[in-house]
Amino acid sequence: MSRPYFTETWRRRMVLALPWLWAALFFLLPLAFVVKISLAEARMSVPPYTDLLARVDGAVVGLNATLANYQLLFSDALYVKAYLSSLKIALVATAFTLLLGYPMAYAIARAPAARRTLLLVLVMLPFWTSFLVRIYAWMGLLRPTGIINTALQTLGLIDEPLAMLNTPGAVYLGIVYAYLPFMVLPLYARLEKLDPALLEAAADLGARPWRAFREVTLPLSLPGVLAGCLLVFIPVTGEFVIPDLLGGPDTLMIGKVLWNEFFSNRDWPMSAAVTVVLLIVLVAPIMLFQALQSRTEIRS
Amino acid sequence: MSSVIRIDAVTKRFGSVAAVDGVSLDIFENEFIALLGASGCGKTTLLRIVAGLEHPDTGRIFIDGKDMTGEAPYARPVNMMFQSYALFPHMTVAGNVAFGLKQDGLSGAALEERVKDALVAVEMAGLGERKPHQLSGGQRQRVALARCLAKRPRVLLLDEPMAALDKHLRERTQLELMALRARLGITFVVVTHDQSEAMAMADRVAVMDGGRILQVDTPRNIYERPANARVAGFFGDINLWSAVVGDRPGTVRVPALGFEMPTRGLLPPSGTAVSVAVRPERIAMSRAPLSGAEHAVTGTVQETVYLGTASTCFVKTQAGGTVRVLAPHADGASAFNKGETVHLSWPSTAVTVLDA
Amino acid sequence: MTPRRFSAANIVLGAGLAFLYLPLVVVMIYSFNASRLVTVWTGFSAEWYGALLADRQILDAAGNSLMVALFSATLAAILGTAAGYALARFGRFRGRTALTGVIAAPLVLPDVIAGLSLLLLFVAFEQAFTWMPGRGILTIVIAHAGFTMAYVAVIVQARLAGMARDVEEAAADLGAQPFTVFLAITLPMMRPAIAAGWLLAFVLSLDDLVIASFVSGPQSTTLPMVVYSSIRLGVSPKINALATILIVVTLALLTAAAWIGRGAFKQK
C-alpha cells in the first residue's frame, strides 16, 4: 500500500521509535562504551579506569587513549590461547549438538501430527527450567562421589571413581545438554514445513530412503541447520557458567577469563578490551545470523 | 442511469509491472458487474483500489460522483467480501457481523436488530454465537456476506466469492447471490476467473487481460460479438482462423478451410488480414452432402469427445485446417465416429470478423 | 510413507529426551534425601525444604528475582510487541534490516558481553547524570528487558506473519479507523504471542546469572547469584530442594499458560 492513510507515516514512526530508542540506548551505546573504556588504563578509583579525555580544570585538552590493553592481550599467550580454545570448544560442541539434535528434530517432524506438539514441548521444557539448576544437576551426577561413580562402583565395574567432573568432557556434555533445544527448534521448524510429497516423489522416482534424505531432506533443511548451529556456536564461544562449574583448571574459555579479569582482578579496561576482541571474533557469525533472520522474515 | 462508481484512467504499478494499466469503467446503480480474467490480469487489484485497500498511481475513483481517490477504506461506502473471507477468528459470528455496524456508532437494540436481519438474510440466524472455526466453508462465506450486507453498502465488492466452495455449493450460492441482489437493490462487483460464473450472474462483464479491460458488455454480446480474438478465446470455445478479406464483396478467404466465406456487416478493404471466429455450436454437421447450403466444407472426423448432452468433434478439412464442432445427441441418430467423412456448414450470421 | 516406529531417528529422540530429563529427575529425588551426603540415599525427608524456607538470604534473593522478572518481562513485552509488529506489518521500510539486526543480535550475544557493556553504560550514567547510583533492581530490570525483548519480538512477529493481512483489511473496509483496527483486531490476534513472550521473558530473567552479576548493586542479589555462590562452595541438599521447587514452579506456570492459551490455539 503506497499511501493508505495520510497519517500512516507518523503512526509508523511512533511505533518504531520505541524499539529503536531502546536499542540505541541499551544496546548500541553500551557497546560504544566498551570500546571507549578498552582504550583507558586501569586505576584505583571509582570508577576504576582513567578518563579518556585529558582535562585541565574541567576543560578538555587532549585524548588519553592507549592501546596498551590490546598490546598485552596479543602478547600474552593466555588470552590468545583462550580465544582459540573457546572457538575450538564451541565448534566441536556445536557439531555434537547438531549430531544429536538433527535426528531428534527429524523424528519429531515425522511423528504423527497429534504427537508432534507434545514431543516438541518435551524437548523445550528443560530450556524453561533454570539453566543453573540443570548444570548443577550434572555436577551431582559427575562428581567422584556422584551417582554415576557410586553406581558403577556398586556394580563392581570400576574400583576407583572415574574423574568426570572438571574435565573437558564434562564441558562438552554440559554445552550439548544446555543448548540442545536451541538446535532442535530451528531444525524442527524447517523440517516440519517440508512437504512429505517431496519424499514420496523421490521414492517414486527410484530414490532409496537414505538417498532421498541426502538429496532432498538435507539440502532443504540447511537453513535450519545453519540457524541452529549459529544459535549454539555464538553464545557458547562466550560461555562462562558451564566451563566454570563443569570444567577444570585446564579448560580455558574466554568467558571465564573475562569474568576473572573483571571480578577478581577488577581490571575494567582489560575486560573491555577482551570483550571488544571477542565481539570482533563473533561479528561475522552474528551478521550471518542476522542476515538469515531477516531473510526468513521476508519470505514468511 | 447514473454511475455509482466511476473508475477514471486508473494505473497501479507494483515495481515495474503495471497491475492495472489505464483502466476506465463506469459501474451503474443496481447492476451486477463481473470483472473476468485469468489470475494476474489485475482484476483483484482493481477491486482493492475501489475498496481503498490499494491506492492508484494515477487516475481517480469516484463514488456517487465524489472523488474518493485518497480516501481510506473505512471512509468509503463500499464493502468487500474477501476471497479468504477474512473473518475475525477471535470473534463470534454475531461479533463479526456487528463489528462494521459498531464502527458506525450503532449500539444496543438497534445494533442487535441489524445483526439479526443480516444473519437471517443469509440463513445463519441460529449460529450467531459460533466461532468461525466451528463453521463449514459455506457457512463462513455466508457470515462474510452478512458482515458486508449489514453495513448496507452502496456497492458490494466480492473477490472470487465461489473460489473456496465445491461445485454443488457454488451453483446454489450463485442463485442466492442473484436473489439477494434482486431483493436488496445493491450494486454488485464480482471478481472471478470463471467465465461460466460471470455469464450466469452478471448483467455486464468486463473482460480483463494484462491490466487492461478488453471489452465491457452483456454476457450475450461478448459471447456472440467478441471485440477481438483474445476475448473470443477467453469466453467459451470457439474456432478462430486467420483470413484475408476476399475480392468478392462481403466475403473472407480462409486458407485453413480452402474457401471464401460470406459474412454479414462491414469489412475492411479487400486484402486486409483479419481473423474469423465461428462458435462450434453454430456449425451443422452431417454424413450426407448438405443440399441447398450456400457453402459447405468436407472433412474427416479426427477425434470426438463425449460430453453427455453433446459431443465435441474435431474435423480435419481437405485444406488442412481443423474445425471444432459441437454435435448434439439427437434422438436415434448414431454418434459420429473417428475417420468418418462429414460435411459442415454454417450461416453467414454465425461468422464474426475480428482484427487479426 | 508410514514412519517406522523404531527408526534410528526415533531411537535417538528417545535417548535425547532421556538425556534431557535424567539430571532433573535425579535432583528432584535427592531433594527428599535425609542424608546430608547428597549422593547416598538414606531415607525420605523434607527437612531441606524446611531449611530452605528458613534461609533469609535465599528468600530475599527470590523476592528480588521475582520483582526483576515481573518488571523486565512486562517492559520486554511492550518493547518486543512494538518491534515484532513493525517488522511483521510495515513491509520493507527504511532501516528494517538495521532494526532486525539490533533485535536479533541480543538473541545470540554472549551474556558476558551484554553484562559488561551494560555495566559500563550504567557507570557512565552514574558519573554523568548521577542516574541509578550504586545500581540495583532497576539496572537489572533494564538489562533483562534488553535481551528478553528480542524473544518477544520474534514470537510476536512469527504469529503476525502467520496471520493474513486481509483480516485487518476487512476491518478497515468495514469502517474501522487504524487505531480501532489495532485494538480490536491486531492486538487480540497477537495476544497469545505476547503472553507466551512475556512468560518466556519472565523465565529467562528469573534464570539469568551472568548479566545480573555484572549490573546488580550490593543490595540487589538475585536468586541465581545466591545459588551460584552456594554451588561453588559445594553441592548442598538445600540447593536440591530449591532446584526442585524451581522446576515444579516452572512446570506449573507453563501448564497454566498452556491451559489458558488452549482456546487461543484452537482459533487457528
Side-chain angles (χ1 to χ4, degrees):
Chain A
M1 293 201 277
S2 48
R3 51 182 173 110
Y5 328 114
F6 291 115
T7 53
E8 176 82 4
T9 328
W10 279 103
R11 284 195 306 117
R12 289 182 167 203
R13 278 182 196 162
M14 276 160 61
V15 174
L16 282 170
L18 209 58
W20 260 125
L21 220 66
W22 184 272
L25 201 57
F26 296 116
F27 178 67
L28 299 175
L29 192 60
L31 293 181
F33 271 104
V34 176
V35 175
K36 181 195 150 195
I37 286 156
S38 74
L39 300 173
E41 279 173 60
R43 188 174 69 168
M44 293 295 281
S45 66
V46 177
Y49 50 84
T50 54
D51 199 339
L52 202 58
L53 303 171
R55 293 171 209 262
V56 174
D57 299 333
V60 177
V61 294
L63 213 57
N64 256 340
T66 167
L67 288 174
N69 295 317
Y70 291 98
Q71 276 160 3
L72 178 64
L73 202 146
F74 286 110
S75 56
D76 190 330
L78 167 84
Y79 295 110
V80 179
K81 265 167 73 183
Y83 282 114
L84 292 178
S85 152
S86 293
L87 287 174
K88 189 199 107 194
I89 291 174
L91 208 62
V92 174
T94 303
F96 279 133
T97 316
L98 178 64
L99 239 47
L100 179 59
Y102 198 106
M104 289 178 76
Y106 186 84
I108 299 173
R110 289 279 154 273
R115 212 178 305 154
R116 246 177 262 164
T117 315
L118 176 71
L119 288 171
L120 197 64
V121 166
L122 278 178
V123 170
M124 293 308 292
L125 216 50
F127 165 69
W128 289 75
T129 61
S130 168
F131 175 69
L132 211 50
V133 162
R134 282 178 289 144
I135 298 305
Y136 165 77
W138 276 109
M139 291 171 71
L141 287 173
L142 296 177
R143 67 181 52 242
T145 57
I147 289 143
I148 296 177
N149 271 319
T150 316
L152 290 176
Q153 277 174 309
T154 314
L155 291 172
L157 293 172
I158 50 170
D159 300 325
E160 290 287 297
L162 297 172
M164 290 185 288
L165 190 62
N166 304 329
T167 61
V171 174
Y172 285 119
L173 183 101
I175 294 172
V176 172
Y177 181 74
Y179 285 87
L180 190 59
F182 289 95
M183 183 64 85
V184 172
L185 198 61
L187 277 174
Y188 168 79
R190 195 76 204 174
L191 287 168
E192 193 248 3
K193 277 200 210 99
L194 202 111
D195 186 354
L198 292 180
L199 285 183
E200 290 174 350
D204 180 65
L205 295 167
R208 291 177 176 283
W210 172 244
R211 206 181 160 85
F213 172 80
R214 227 181 50 211
E215 293 190 20
V216 179
T217 311
L218 194 60
L220 286 171
S221 67
L222 279 184
V225 171
L226 191 60
C229 286
L230 290 170
L231 271 172
V232 175
F233 177 80
I234 301 168
V236 165
T237 306
E239 181 59 51
F240 159 72
V241 176
I242 296 172
D244 186 59
L245 293 179
L246 296 181
D250 52 335
T251 311
L252 200 54
M253 284 193 79
I254 198 65
K256 213 176 141 184
V257 171
L258 195 157
W259 180 281
N260 290 332
E261 204 67 65
F262 184 85
F263 286 103
S264 309
N265 303 348
R266 296 197 56 75
D267 188 340
W268 290 23
M270 194 63 210
S271 347
V274 170
T275 305
V276 169
V277 174
L278 179 57
L279 259 176
I280 292 170
V281 168
L282 290 179
V283 91
I286 288 178
M287 286 180 68
L288 187 62
F289 176 72
Q290 290 173 339
L292 201 68
Q293 205 50 17
S294 68
R295 243 190 42 202
T296 22
E297 272 164 19
I298 286 169
R299 220 180 314 123
S300 59
Chain B
M1 276 203 293
S2 64
S3 75
V4 186
I5 291 175
R6 160 160 290 176
I7 299 165
D8 183 20
V10 162
T11 294
K12 172 74 182 177
R13 295 179 169 280
F14 293 112
S16 60
V17 183
V20 175
D21 191 0
V23 166
S24 293
L25 178 66
D26 279 291
I27 296 167
F28 300 107
E29 186 83 56
N30 227 337
E31 80 169 330
F32 195 130
I33 191 163
L35 305 178
L36 174 70
S39 72
C41 72
K43 56 193 192 299
T44 295
T45 306
L46 188 59
L47 196 74
R48 288 170 60 86
I49 288 172
V50 173
L53 296 167
E54 306 281 355
H55 287 252
D57 300 327
T58 58
R60 314 215 66 81
I61 299 286
F62 297 88
I63 302 177
D64 281 328
K66 226 178 101 199
D67 187 346
M68 289 264 179
T69 314
E71 287 292 344
Y74 51 82
R76 299 186 184 208
V78 300
N79 287 114
M80 172 150 155
M81 196 176 101
F82 289 71
Q83 185 174 357
S84 65
Y85 309 144
L87 297 179
F88 308 131
H90 57 295
M91 294 182 191
T92 59
V93 166
N96 266 279
V97 177
F99 181 88
L101 298 171
K102 283 186 193 158
Q103 307 310 317
D104 296 342
L106 242 67
S107 63
L111 175 70
E112 274 175 42
E113 189 69 29
R114 287 274 288 273
V115 171
K116 214 185 88 196
D117 287 350
L119 287 176
V120 167
V122 297
E123 295 168 30
M124 288 283 293
L127 301 174
E129 290 317 304
R130 293 264 183 99
K131 286 282 188 77
H133 67 90
Q134 296 168 312
L135 302 177
S136 71
Q139 288 172 325
R140 268 180 231 174
Q141 195 225 30
R142 285 155 186 275
V143 176
L145 189 61
R147 190 170 73 174
C148 292
L149 290 177
K151 293 270 290 185
R152 294 179 189 156
R154 290 284 288 139
V155 180
L156 186 58
L157 312 171
L158 302 107
D159 186 5
E160 297 278 5
M162 317 290 177
L165 304 179
D166 59 41
K167 191 174 180 299
H168 167 73
L169 209 51
R170 212 174 281 188
E171 274 172 18
R172 210 182 84 187
T173 311
Q174 274 178 17
L175 293 174
E176 283 173 356
L177 274 182
M178 289 159 75
L180 261 179
R181 175 268 186 135
R183 189 146 47 90
L184 301 174
I186 296 176
T187 308
F188 275 56
V189 183
V190 174
V191 155
T192 177
H193 67 278
D194 181 341
Q195 46 109 356
S196 62
E197 191 175 297
M199 268 198 277
M201 293 194 293
D203 303 323
R204 285 198 304 156
V205 176
V207 184
M208 288 187 72
D209 187 38
R212 293 162 185 270
I213 290 183
L214 302 179
Q215 187 174 8
V216 191
D217 213 327
T218 61
R220 188 185 190 101
N221 282 348
I222 290 183
Y223 189 79
E224 293 180 356
R225 285 193 289 280
N228 56 45
R230 268 192 294 175
V231 175
F234 195 73
F235 221 79
D237 297 327
I238 203 159
N239 290 295
L240 260 181
W241 298 293
S242 37
V244 180
V245 177
D247 300 329
R248 276 194 291 146
T251 65
V252 291
R253 203 168 56 245
V254 185
L257 303 178
F259 77 103
E260 286 202 355
M261 189 188 287
T263 63
R264 294 281 170 93
L266 290 171
L267 284 176
S270 74
T272 313
V274 291
S275 291
V276 293
V278 179
R279 294 280 175 193
E281 70 272 18
R282 305 290 302 272
I283 301 174
M285 179 159 79
S286 69
R287 292 194 176 87
L290 294 150
S291 57
E294 33 181 334
H295 61 275
V297 194
T298 306
T300 317
V301 177
Q302 285 237 298
E303 198 65 68
T304 69
V305 179
Y306 181 74
L307 299 175
T309 55
S311 286
T312 295
C313 301
F314 295 90
V315 177
K316 182 138 190 173
T317 64
Q318 283 157 349
T322 303
V323 185
R324 181 189 185 116
V325 183
L326 190 73
H329 295 154
D331 278 343
S334 64
F336 291 97
N337 293 314
K338 249 168 139 174
E340 272 189 88
T341 302
V342 289
H343 305 274
L344 309 174
S345 78
W346 54 87
S348 57
T349 49
V351 178
T352 310
V353 179
L354 305 161
D355 294 338
Chain C
M1 285 191 288
T2 24
R4 279 170 303 158
R5 204 180 173 83
F6 293 105
S7 67
N10 280 350
I11 292 166
V12 176
L13 177 62
L17 287 174
F19 172 60
L20 284 175
Y21 284 92
L22 176 76
L24 296 181
V25 172
V26 169
V27 164
M28 289 172 79
I29 292 172
Y30 274 84
S31 74
F32 295 102
N33 192 357
S35 163
R36 200 162 177 57
L37 288 168
V38 183
T39 47
V40 184
W41 182 264
T42 51
F44 180 86
S45 160
E47 70 162 298
W48 304 114
Y49 288 88
L52 186 71
L53 292 177
D55 190 329
R56 275 239 60 92
Q57 198 200 4
I58 286 185
L59 291 183
D60 285 347
N64 282 341
S65 275
L66 283 176
M67 190 147 74
V68 167
L70 211 61
F71 283 118
S72 71
T74 306
L75 197 54
I78 294 167
L79 292 163
T81 300
Y85 175 72
L87 289 174
R89 283 295 187 255
F90 288 1
R92 286 167 196 259
F93 56 89
R94 237 178 47 187
R96 186 183 201 286
T97 314
L99 185 65
T100 315
V102 295
I103 296 298
L107 286 176
V108 289
L109 198 71
D111 290 346
V112 283
I113 298 181
L116 181 71
S117 63
L118 280 164
L119 170 73
L120 297 181
L121 175 86
F122 292 139
V123 169
F125 278 175
E126 185 179 352
Q127 281 190 289
F129 318 105
T130 64
W131 287 352
M132 302 177 272
R135 295 173 297 284
I137 300 289
L138 179 60
T139 49
I140 312 178
V141 166
I142 291 173
H144 282 181
F147 85 96
T148 53
M149 74 174 265
Y151 288 87
V152 182
V154 168
I155 295 173
V156 166
Q157 191 200 349
R159 166 103 185 162
L160 278 182
M163 313 224 59
R165 279 206 78 126
D166 54 10
V167 176
E168 284 150 297
E169 288 179 347
D173 181 68
L174 290 166
Q177 309 248 350
F179 192 59
T180 314
V181 174
F182 181 82
L183 280 188
I185 307 298
T186 316
L187 200 59
M189 287 196 322
M190 290 193 290
R191 198 151 46 203
I194 298 173
W198 186 92
L199 203 62
L200 185 57
F202 184 86
V203 170
L204 287 170
S205 165
L206 214 54
D207 199 22
D208 166 69
L209 164 70
V210 175
I211 295 176
S213 298
F214 276 99
V215 300
S216 70
Q219 295 305 311
S220 53
T221 308
T222 62
L223 194 55
M225 290 160 74
V226 175
V227 172
Y228 173 69
S229 50
S230 152
I231 291 175
R232 294 222 66 181
L233 294 176
V235 173
S236 133
K238 231 169 20 181
I239 297 299
N240 277 343
L242 177 62
T244 304
I245 291 176
L246 283 177
I247 294 168
V248 170
V249 166
T250 318
L251 292 188
L253 255 173
L254 287 178
T255 314
W259 195 72
I260 294 165
R262 77 198 193 292
F265 283 115
K266 267 196 208 149
Q267 280 173 11
K268 261 189 91 182

